[in-house]
Amino acid sequence: MTDPAYLQPGRFVESDAPEIVRFARDAAAGASAPIDVAVKLYYAVRDSILYDPYQNYNRPETYSGLTAPTRGRGFCVSKAALLAASARALGIPARMGFADV
């Protein structure tokens, strides 16, 4: 059973923000199966949000999924937060995962 927390908005995974809902719906247009929606969301975040490691890491909004589509750029954490938020906005459970590289 899926933890219902993976469908709820969070501090940096703002799945209820109108901008994220719009981004998710636009990105998933034409897909109906959850796997197809998830793949389209992945490609939209990967391809439409420029990867930019030059961020102000002292500002909390740098880690927010909402800032990525607003600015059109982000780094790995904000892009991952956008992907998780977009999935949640469309009813696909999602969570963040972190690792040291």
Side-chain angles (χ1 to χ4, degrees):
M1 183 172 171
T2 301
D3 186 333
Y6 298 145
L7 287 169
Q8 300 300 313
R11 179 174 178 196
F12 298 114
V13 181
E14 304 97 329
S15 54
D16 58 345
E19 298 90 333
I20 289 186
V21 173
R22 187 176 325 108
F23 176 88
R25 287 183 181 155
D26 290 348
S32 56
I35 189 73
D36 296 328
V37 171
V39 169
K40 287 187 93 165
L41 292 175
Y42 167 80
Y43 284 122
V45 171
R46 185 192 75 176
D47 297 339
S48 69
I49 307 298
L50 177 69
Y51 180 78
D52 181 6
Y54 303 103
Q55 305 286 323
N56 182 348
Y57 296 105
N58 293 322
R59 300 182 69 182
E61 60 269 16
T62 300
Y63 303 91
S64 167
L66 184 56
T67 62
T70 303
R71 295 179 182 165
R73 62 183 57 235
F75 77 116
C76 52
V77 173
S78 59
K79 288 180 70 151
L82 173 60
L83 179 58
S86 296
R88 290 180 186 188
L90 298 181
I92 299 173
R95 67 185 177 118
M96 301 285 289
F98 298 97
D100 288 329
V101 181

